[in-house]
Amino acid sequence: MSLLDYFRTSKTSSASVAKERLQILVAHERSSRNQPSYLPQLQKELLEVIRKYVNVEQDAISVNFEQDETQETLELNIVLPDYHPKNT
Amino acid sequence: MARIIVVTSGKGGVGKTTTSAAIAMGLAKKGHKTAVIDFDVGLRNLDLIMGCERRVVYDIVNVINGEASLNQALIRDKHCEQLYILPASQTRDKDALNQEGVGKILEDLKKDFKYVVCDSPAGIEKGAHLAMYFADDAFVVTNPEVSSVRDSDRMLGLLSSKSRRAEQNQEPIKEYLLLTRYSPERVKLGDMLSVDDVQDILSLHLLGVIPESKSVLTASNSGTPVILDEKSDAGQAYADVVARYLGEDRPHRFIDDKKGFFGKLFGSK
Ligand SMILES: Nc1ncnc2c1ncn2[C@@H]1O[C@H](COP(=O)(O)OP(=O)(O)OP(=O)(O)O)[C@@H](O)[C@H]1O
Ligand SMILES: [Mg+2]
C-alpha cells in the first residue's frame, strides 16, 4: 500500500458507509417481505383494543413476524406510557 | 429444452438493454438460435441498440392482437443469422401486453429457439412483471450503487414469489448477478461499492462484472451490440458472461485496478 493509499483509507470511505446502510435496510425489507399480509390489519385492530384500556400512542405497538425452519413466531410489543402517580 | 432468460433490475438505466443485446448476440454467435424480446412497451429501444430500427414493421403488441404472425414480427439480425429480435410497440396503452398473449408467444418461441432473452423495462409494473413471469433464469443487472442494489433485492423478492415457477411451486428461477458500470479505480478509492460488498448483500451467483466503458456508447451509436467489439473491455466482459452462463469456467476480469502509469496516462478504452 502506498503512502497515498494510506491517507485515502484512513477516513471511513463512502463505500463502506453505503454498504452498512444497505445491509441494515435490505435485512429489514427482507423480513417484512415474508410477513403474512394480514399483519397491518392485525396491528391496527390490536391497537384499537388496547386503546380501550390504556392510552398508548399510535406507534406504541409493533407486531413482528419471524420465520425459521421449525417455527413461526408472532411477537407483539406494546410500549406502555410512563406511569406518573398523581399527587394526592 | 429452450430456456427463457429475463434481464431485469428494478431500477432504470442500469444497463438492461445493453446487456440483453450483448448476451443475445453472444449466445447466437455460439451457435444457439436465440430470440431477444423488448418488453419496454412505449419506450422501444432494443431495436436501436441492435441496429434494426429501420426494419421494424410489426411488434409484440401486433402479434398479441393477432394483427401479425410471430414470424412476420421477428426481425433477423444482420450480423448473425441465429439471432432474431421481437420489438416492443410504441403504444401508450398500458394494457397492451397481457399474460396470456405473452405466454403464447413464449411457448411458440420455445419450439424453435434455444434461448429467449427478455429485456425488461424498469420498475415493477406490468411490463416488468410479464418480462420475468415465465422466466427460467434471471440476470439481475445491478450497478455498484445503493439504490440499484436495493432495487435488485426487491426484484429478487418478486422473482421468488410472483413468477410462474413460484406460483406453481416449481424449481425456482435461477438468479445470476451481473454487476455493470463498474469502476475498479473508484472502488480502490473507496468511492464505490466493490464486487464483494454487493455480493455480501445480495449473495447471488456472480455471472460477471462489466466495467464502465466508453465502448458501450460507441457501440450504441452505431447500433452494434458491444459484444461484437472484441477488443473492448466491456465486449470481452460480456463474452465471458455468455461463456460462464453456458458452463465454461472463466476467471473474472476487469475487477482490479490493474492500470499502470501508462494506462492512467492514456485512459482506458
Ligand atoms: N458498462 C457500461 N459502461 C458505460 N455506459 C454504460 C454501460 N452500460 C450501460 N451504459 C449506458 O447506460 C445507459 C443506460 O443503459 P441501458 O439503456 O442499457 O439501461 P436500461 O437498464 O436498459 O435502461 P431502462 O431502464 O431505461 O430500460 C446507456 O446510455 C448506456 O450506454
Ligand atoms: Mg432498457
Side-chain angles (χ1 to χ4, degrees):
Chain A
M1 195 195 262
S2 74
L3 198 58
L4 202 61
D5 282 338
Y6 175 76
F7 284 117
R8 275 177 185 149
T9 49
S10 58
K11 72 172 193 317
T12 320
S13 73
S14 69
S16 59
V17 175
K19 181 180 180 186
E20 206 180 298
R21 289 174 62 217
L22 269 172
Q23 276 172 325
I24 295 165
L25 179 68
V26 164
H28 176 76
E29 289 184 339
R30 278 183 193 161
S31 68
S32 56
R33 207 147 66 203
N34 300 326
Q35 288 183 347
S37 55
Y38 60 74
L39 224 55
Q41 187 64 25
L42 175 72
Q43 177 154 350
K44 191 170 152 267
E45 286 177 25
L46 278 172
L47 188 69
E48 279 163 18
V49 174
I50 290 161
R51 281 184 141 191
K52 281 188 192 165
Y53 304 93
V54 194
N55 190 17
V56 294
E57 297 291 323
Q58 284 281 350
D59 56 1
I61 152 170
S62 66
V63 183
N64 280 314
F65 179 81
E66 261 160 47
Q67 203 172 21
D68 59 33
E69 282 99 67
T70 53
Q71 59 183 3
E72 296 174 347
T73 339
L74 195 62
E75 180 194 72
L76 176 64
N77 205 345
I78 308 162
V79 183
L80 293 175
D82 287 338
Y83 181 64
H84 300 293
K86 287 207 179 87
N87 293 331
T88 40
Chain B
M1 192 54 190
R3 284 196 85 79
I4 297 174
I5 303 170
V6 61
V7 178
T8 187
S9 69
K11 189 170 159 59
V14 295
K16 292 180 293 296
T17 301
T18 306
T19 298
S20 300
I23 61 159
M25 178 63 80
L27 289 166
K29 285 222 316 170
K30 290 254 182 188
H32 304 292
K33 196 169 177 191
T34 302
V36 56
I37 308 180
D38 190 347
F39 274 84
D40 209 341
V41 167
L43 290 169
R44 159 160 98 211
N45 269 324
L46 182 70
D47 55 335
L48 264 179
I49 303 303
M50 304 287 307
C52 65
E53 70 279 4
R54 286 163 61 190
R55 290 191 288 141
V56 176
V57 183
Y58 297 112
D59 57 59
I60 184 167
V61 173
N62 293 134
V63 178
I64 288 178
N65 293 342
E67 294 149 5
S69 72
L70 187 53
N71 278 330
Q72 283 174 309
L74 284 171
I75 304 169
R76 177 182 269 192
D77 184 77
K78 60 184 177 211
H79 301 282
C80 181
E81 58 175 36
Q82 298 278 45
L83 180 58
Y84 289 78
I85 299 117
L86 182 59
S89 88
Q90 288 290 46
T91 174
R92 280 156 57 190
D93 175 11
K94 278 200 164 168
D95 296 319
L97 294 183
N98 57 63
Q99 188 156 305
E100 196 194 342
V102 170
K104 173 85 172 54
I105 289 179
L106 291 174
E107 276 317 305
D108 287 348
L109 288 173
K110 278 174 98 166
K111 288 178 200 144
D112 202 22
F113 288 83
K114 184 75 210 300
Y115 294 103
V116 180
V117 178
C118 302
D119 178 17
S120 174
I124 53 173
E125 307 273 300
K126 195 164 187 182
H129 174 74
L130 288 175
M132 67 85 161
Y133 186 74
F134 297 96
D136 302 303
D137 301 315
F139 288 14
V140 180
V141 179
T142 308
N143 292 167
E145 176 268 325
V146 282
S147 49
S148 175
V149 175
R150 179 203 208 167
D151 288 359
S152 291
D153 192 68
R154 183 88 200 280
M155 210 61 213
L156 291 171
L158 296 174
L159 289 169
S160 61
S161 64
K162 297 280 185 285
S163 60
R164 181 170 66 173
R165 281 175 174 271
E167 286 179 4
Q168 298 183 353
N169 275 320
Q170 293 169 3
E171 197 186 318
I173 296 177
K174 285 212 176 73
E175 301 157 343
Y176 300 94
L177 175 65
L178 223 99
L179 200 56
T180 66
R181 311 204 66 165
Y182 195 75
S183 289
E185 303 85 29
R186 302 197 63 189
V187 171
K188 197 175 171 196
L189 291 174
D191 290 344
M192 186 181 265
L193 291 166
S194 69
V195 192
D196 292 340
D197 291 340
V198 177
Q199 277 292 69
D200 281 350
I201 294 160
L202 296 179
S203 32
L204 288 179
H205 182 88
L206 179 69
L207 208 49
V209 176
I210 313 297
E212 172 77 23
S213 168
K214 287 176 188 150
S215 59
V216 173
L217 184 61
T218 321
S220 71
N221 284 341
S222 63
T224 42
V226 68
I227 198 168
L228 293 176
D229 184 353
E230 287 164 13
K231 291 201 188 71
S232 71
D233 47 2
Q236 291 172 12
Y238 275 119
D240 285 353
V241 163
V242 171
R244 281 189 206 109
Y245 175 70
L246 293 174
E248 258 180 69
D249 190 17
R250 291 202 184 177
H252 287 281
R253 300 191 271 174
F254 314 109
I255 290 180
D256 298 317
D257 182 18
K258 287 215 194 76
K259 252 184 282 161
F261 175 70
F262 285 102
K264 287 214 172 80
L265 210 57
F266 298 114
S268 63
K269 195 180 161 0

